[in-house]
Every structure is written in C-alpha cells, then in structure tokens.
Amino acid sequence: KAVEKKEEKKPAASTGNFTHVLAIFLALVLLGLFLRIFVFNKSTEKTKNYHKYKTPEDLFRNVGEAIIRYIKQNPKARIGLASGSTPEGLYQYLIRKYEKGEISFKDVQFFSIDGFCGLSKTDPNSYYYSLTDKFLSKIDAQEKNIHLLNEEGTTLEDFERNANDYNELLDKNPIDLQILSFGENGHIGFNEPNTDFNLLTHIVELTPEKREEKSKIFGSLDKTPKYAITQGVKSILQAKEVICIAKGKGKAKVVSDLVNGVFTKKSPITALRNHNGKVTVCTDEEAGEKINEINKMF
Ligand code: GLP
C-alpha cells in the first residue's frame, strides 16, 4: 500500500513542477517585453522621416542643430562624416557654433565613408585632407579621436589591408550617427548602382568613366587613382542612426526614389529604406521638389 501511495503522488508532483517552470517562463517573457518596450526601445527606434527646408541655409541650420543636440546628449558619440560638396555648408555651420563656444567636439569620435587609394594624408585630393581641412582642423576634434579611412599604400594588398582594418575598427566601434549624402545616380560613398550591396568596407576598382570624371581634379588620367576605398552599403546600414542630406535640383529624382519609392539596386541610397534604426532625410526645396509634403514619415 505504501508503495502504491508513493506512485499515486508522482503525477501530482510533476504537475506542480510543470506549473512552476511555466510561471518562471511567463515571468521571463513578461520581463523581456518590459525591457524591450521601456528600456531598450529608444536605441532600437525604427523610424523614417523626411523634412524639407526652404533654402540650403535653413537645411544646414536645422541639421546642424540636430547634430549639436545629439552630441550634447552623447558627448562621446561616434559620428560618420559624409564627403563631397553637399555637407560643406553643414560643417561650416558646426564650425561657427564651435567658435561661439556653443558646442565642443573634444570627445566625439570621427569616422569617414570613402576615399581614394594611394594618396597621402597631405595630398589635397585625399578625402582625409579635405575633411580635415574643411572641418576637423577647425573644431576641437582630438587627433586620437579621428579615424578616417586610410587612403595610403601602393599595392592592392595595402589597400585591402586598410579596408579590413577599418572593418575591424567599425566592428569594435559601431557608428552611432552617420551623416550621409549621395550622388545624382544614387551612389553612396563609392557604391555605384547595381554593385554588391552586401559588402562591408572594401576596395572598388574605378570604372574608366569614373576615372575620366575624377581626372578633372587630378589634372590628368595618369595621375588619377585606379582604386577607391569605401564603406559598403552593408556597413552604412549598420550605423545606428542616419541623417541623409541633399540640396539642389540634381538630387530631386533620387530623393523622390528614396522617400516615395521602393528599394532598388539601381539606386544605392534607397537601401536606407531597409535600415533598422532611425533615418532622417533632410533636403532643401530644390532637392525636395518632387515631394509634396514638408514633413512626412516614409
Ligand atoms: C562623391 C563621393 C561621395 C559623395 C558624392 C556626392 O562621389 N565619393 O561620397 O556622396 O560625391 O557629392 P556631392 O555632395 O558633391 O554631390
């Protein structure tokens, strides 16, 4: 009888255990949901906004103020700088604010998106020189916090090593806020239409057309680099937040593809539609002429 009794109790005990495990499991699920919604939600915010400003001055003032707010909240932010002529007005705005003592960049870490291969830091055509000359040397950025792409080297192996080093760097130091601009065919960095969007920082062999176009700044085709280094579309999408800027009529079609269209390999910038965090697209009136709204979510 005693043996029988023991056997009868067994199912009751295991039901009790099961209920216990279920309760713990449910409690963990609830805790996970709570943390996801109330604690981590801010850093995984997934929003896409578009803003149109009347003039380039309005555009750069508003974007500049947004960046200043960001840095005040995150003084050690890792910021990716855009190259080309578009962000120059933005950098000038930020320099003026620094000169007035309204913002310090001393703990900000700076990164870049692209460059030519085989140019020294002192070569006026290097992106390193350009970003330093037009922005970083005019604010209180510290040398130890400047991590622009390395354009130096003589062989393809040197260039590829530079790209791999940058991937290691970005892996350990993911970019918090990427400032981004793009070309009239939608290219970002040196990621041209219909190229592989699944790459991290890599080396691009410049097409004869691209070299021809760039030869204007180098004086002759002979002096024009054959390769460029660029963050890949995949790396750009890994930045936690992106502010994309455009000005002028020449960018209007691409802005419309990005804000009103769908992701297409024909226009690398439309990959931003697949970004998992916060994307803000800001244009002047001309670049936004194909978008009816002044503000919109997309
Ligand atoms: C170059 C750069 C890109 C830049 C693009 C747009 O091709 N490699 O990084 O986004 O130009 O330049 P701009 O702003 O002068 O139109």
Side-chain angles (χ1 to χ4, degrees):
K1 267 190 180 175
V3 173
E4 274 170 18
K5 260 185 188 171
K6 257 187 194 170
E7 279 172 354
E8 274 164 19
K9 271 183 185 170
K10 256 186 190 168
S14 68
T15 311
N17 279 345
F18 177 73
T19 319
H20 206 75
V21 169
L22 189 67
I24 292 174
F25 175 74
L26 284 175
L28 286 174
V29 169
L30 284 174
L31 178 70
L33 277 176
F34 175 84
L35 290 173
R36 172 77 181 77
I37 295 168
F38 296 105
V39 181
F40 297 117
N41 203 29
K42 278 182 198 144
S43 57
T44 55
E45 192 182 6
K46 189 173 172 174
T47 56
K48 292 184 180 59
N49 287 293
Y50 168 76
H51 303 293
K52 177 162 37 180
Y53 301 101
K54 266 214 148 357
T55 63
E57 290 69 36
D58 292 337
L59 165 69
F60 295 132
R61 186 181 63 252
N62 279 280
V63 174
E65 287 301 328
I67 292 170
I68 288 169
R69 279 196 301 277
Y70 190 93
I71 293 173
K72 285 188 172 163
Q73 281 165 16
N74 310 276
K76 294 183 179 174
R78 288 186 284 262
I79 297 195
L81 299 175
S83 29
S85 59
T86 305
E88 284 176 13
L90 172 65
Y91 298 151
Q92 283 156 15
Y93 183 85
L94 293 173
I95 292 167
R96 284 200 298 278
K97 287 285 164 173
Y98 161 71
E99 285 170 348
K100 286 183 184 164
E102 292 176 30
I103 182 71
S104 167
F105 299 87
K106 77 175 175 43
D107 293 320
V108 175
Q109 307 270 334
F110 291 100
F111 298 80
S112 64
I113 203 150
D114 55 3
F116 285 115
C117 291
L119 303 187
S120 74
K121 289 178 175 178
T122 53
D123 188 320
N125 286 325
S126 75
Y127 282 35
Y128 188 98
Y129 184 91
S130 169
L131 283 173
T132 324
D133 183 51
K134 290 183 179 137
F135 184 43
L136 296 172
S137 67
K138 307 214 158 53
I139 55 169
D140 58 346
Q142 296 196 69
E143 188 70 39
K144 66 175 170 98
N145 293 340
I146 297 177
H147 315 282
L148 306 186
L149 277 156
N150 185 351
E151 295 163 271
E152 291 171 336
T154 45
T155 64
L156 187 54
E157 288 82 70
D158 294 339
F159 308 151
E160 273 164 356
R161 197 175 325 108
N162 293 341
N164 291 338
D165 288 350
Y166 213 64
N167 284 327
E168 278 177 30
L169 182 79
L170 289 186
D171 196 39
K172 290 188 195 117
N173 306 277
I175 290 177
D176 296 310
L177 176 66
Q178 176 68 53
I179 303 163
L180 197 61
S181 54
F182 53 85
E184 291 186 10
N185 64 355
H187 76 256
I188 25 179
F190 278 93
N191 299 277
E192 291 295 324
N194 298 311
T195 52
D196 188 351
F197 289 4
N198 214 17
L199 297 174
L200 295 172
T201 302
H202 62 284
I203 301 303
V204 172
E205 184 171 1
L206 299 175
T207 60
E209 299 78 49
K210 195 85 180 174
R211 282 190 75 215
E212 188 68 47
E213 176 198 321
K214 298 289 181 192
S215 69
K216 287 173 203 134
I217 55 171
F218 286 94
S220 74
L221 201 58
D222 280 359
K223 292 184 192 148
T224 309
K226 292 192 172 68
Y227 297 96
I229 185 166
T230 185
Q231 280 197 43
V233 173
K234 192 173 173 180
S235 346
I236 295 162
L237 291 186
Q238 283 172 357
K240 290 178 201 150
E241 180 171 342
V242 177
I243 296 185
C244 177
I245 50 173
K247 71 176 174 84
K249 278 185 192 299
K251 303 282 169 78
K253 160 85 172 66
V254 178
V255 170
S256 162
D257 290 344
L258 168 59
V259 176
N260 287 332
V262 290
F263 164 64
T264 162
K265 287 203 75 185
K266 287 185 203 151
S267 181
I269 191 71
T270 62
L272 279 188
R273 297 187 66 92
N274 300 334
H275 190 274
N276 276 325
K278 187 173 171 189
V279 173
T280 313
V281 178
C282 300
T283 73
D284 67 351
E285 190 140 288
E286 289 190 350
E289 68 180 11
K290 291 184 191 301
I291 316 242
N292 296 328
E293 300 89 337
I294 290 176
N295 296 317
K296 79 177 253 177
M297 290 183 81
F298 66 96

